[in-house]
Amino acid sequence: EAQVTQNPRYLITVTGKKLTVTCSQNMNHEYMSWYRQDPGLGLRQIYYSMNVEVTDKGDVPEGYKVSRKEKRNFPLILESPSPNQTSLYFCASSLRRSNQPQHFGDGTRLSIL
Amino acid sequence: AQTVTQSQPEMSVQEAETVTLSCTYDTSENNYYLFWYKQPPSRQMILVIRQEAYKQQNATENRFSVNFQKAAKSFSLKISDSQLGDTAMYFCAFTTGNQFYFGTGTSLTVIP
C-alpha cells in the first residue's frame, strides 16, 4: 500500500529536549516536505526536499532541521524544542517537484511543555 | 510574496444543496498549480481537485468543480449535491514549482 508514515503520532515532551519526528514514504517520490498546522494559520511549510541531499527552507524553518540522506526518509529534527513549536505536523511527498499532488502522512501532534 | 487567502473561516450548507468556497492568491509567476485539499475530523489531508494555471478549462471531479479566474487570481471550489461526508476543513493551496502555499482554511458543515 502506497503511504507516507510518520512517527510518533503523538508526543508530549519538555523544553530543550531534542526530538526527531520520522517520515518515510514507499512510493519512490523525489519531493518531500514538512508542514506545521496551527489554528487560524492553516498549513505552513517548514522545509522541503527536491531529492536526496537537496533541501531548502520553507516559510517557517526557524528552530527545525531536516536531512535527506536517502530517498525514502525525511526526518524533522527539533534540536531544542520550545513551547511555540507545539503544533500538528505533517509530512508529505510527491512524485517529482511540487506540481504533483502531495500524499500526506497522518500527522504528528507535538506538545512542548 | 506568495499568499493564499480564504476569506470564509466557516460555512454551512444543507444536505443536497450547492456551496461555493472562495480562494484568492497572489503571485507574480505565470506558471503554477492550484489545489483544494479536504481535512475531515480524522485530520487526514485528502486531495479534492487540481488545476494547472495554463489550462483555461475548469477542473471537475464528480461533485467538485472549480471556477478558475486567472486574471483575478481567484480559485473557488463548488460542491454540488452536498453530502454529510463533505463536512471538513477545506484548504486552498498553490505552488509555483518548489514551495507550497496554503490558505487558512474554511470549515464546512453539511446540515442534515
Side-chain angles (χ1 to χ4, degrees):
Chain A
E1 180 189 350
Q3 59 185 2
V4 177
T5 303
Q6 292 178 229
N7 279 298
R9 294 289 309 279
Y10 302 89
L11 179 63
I12 302 174
T13 188
V14 296
T15 298
K17 186 176 181 182
K18 180 179 178 180
L19 68 92
T20 299
V21 185
T22 63
C23 175
S24 179
Q25 50 93 4
N26 62 359
M27 296 167 279
N28 202 36
H29 283 172
E30 292 181 0
Y31 185 93
M32 296 188 74
S33 180
W34 276 103
Y35 299 89
R36 61 177 289 173
Q37 182 179 1
D38 302 289
L41 297 178
L43 276 79
R44 294 177 293 169
Q45 195 167 36
I46 303 171
Y47 271 95
Y48 61 94
S49 170
M50 305 294 281
N51 214 323
V52 177
E53 302 292 359
V54 180
T55 63
D56 212 339
K57 297 177 181 178
D59 279 343
V60 289
E62 294 78 19
Y64 305 95
K65 287 176 60 178
V66 294
S67 67
R68 188 93 182 272
K69 293 184 170 58
E70 49 191 343
K71 201 170 191 177
R72 63 183 292 124
N73 296 323
F74 191 47
L76 179 70
I77 303 157
L78 284 71
E79 294 270 3
S80 183
S82 62
N84 63 13
Q85 293 178 297
T86 292
S87 187
L88 176 60
Y89 290 85
F90 285 99
C91 179
S93 72
S94 61
L95 184 60
R96 64 179 63 84
R97 292 196 172 262
S98 55
N99 57 4
Q100 299 289 320
Q102 295 184 92
H103 298 253
F104 282 81
D106 288 337
T108 295
R109 175 71 69 184
L110 188 56
S111 295
I112 315 292
L113 304 178
Chain B
Q2 326 270 17
T3 59
V4 180
T5 301
Q6 293 180 250
S7 59
Q8 306 150 314
E10 296 181 356
M11 295 188 73
S12 62
V13 63
Q14 292 290 139
E15 194 175 5
E17 296 293 308
T18 295
V19 64
T20 299
L21 280 58
S22 64
C23 172
T24 58
Y25 58 92
D26 190 21
T27 180
S28 57
E29 302 289 330
N30 195 45
N31 294 321
Y32 48 89
Y33 297 81
L34 297 149
F35 306 85
W36 278 98
Y37 282 89
K38 168 185 177 180
Q39 187 180 44
S42 66
R43 84 185 190 195
Q44 285 182 298
M45 291 290 289
I46 303 165
L47 177 70
V48 175
I49 200 163
R50 178 173 78 137
Q51 173 82 42
E52 290 87 351
Y54 61 84
K55 288 187 178 178
Q56 292 186 338
Q57 186 173 5
N58 289 325
T60 299
E61 288 286 343
N62 300 314
R63 298 182 295 107
F64 299 87
S65 61
V66 298
N67 182 6
F68 174 46
Q69 302 288 329
K70 190 172 183 179
K73 296 180 181 175
S74 171
F75 182 59
S76 60
L77 175 69
K78 185 171 84 170
I79 306 174
S80 304
D81 185 27
S82 297
Q83 301 175 359
L84 296 178
D86 295 333
T87 292
M89 181 73 83
Y90 287 81
F91 292 100
C92 176
F94 88 96
T95 180
T96 58
N98 295 331
Q99 279 189 253
F100 260 88
Y101 302 91
F102 281 79
T104 52
T106 295
S107 178
L108 177 67
T109 301
V110 179
I111 302 166

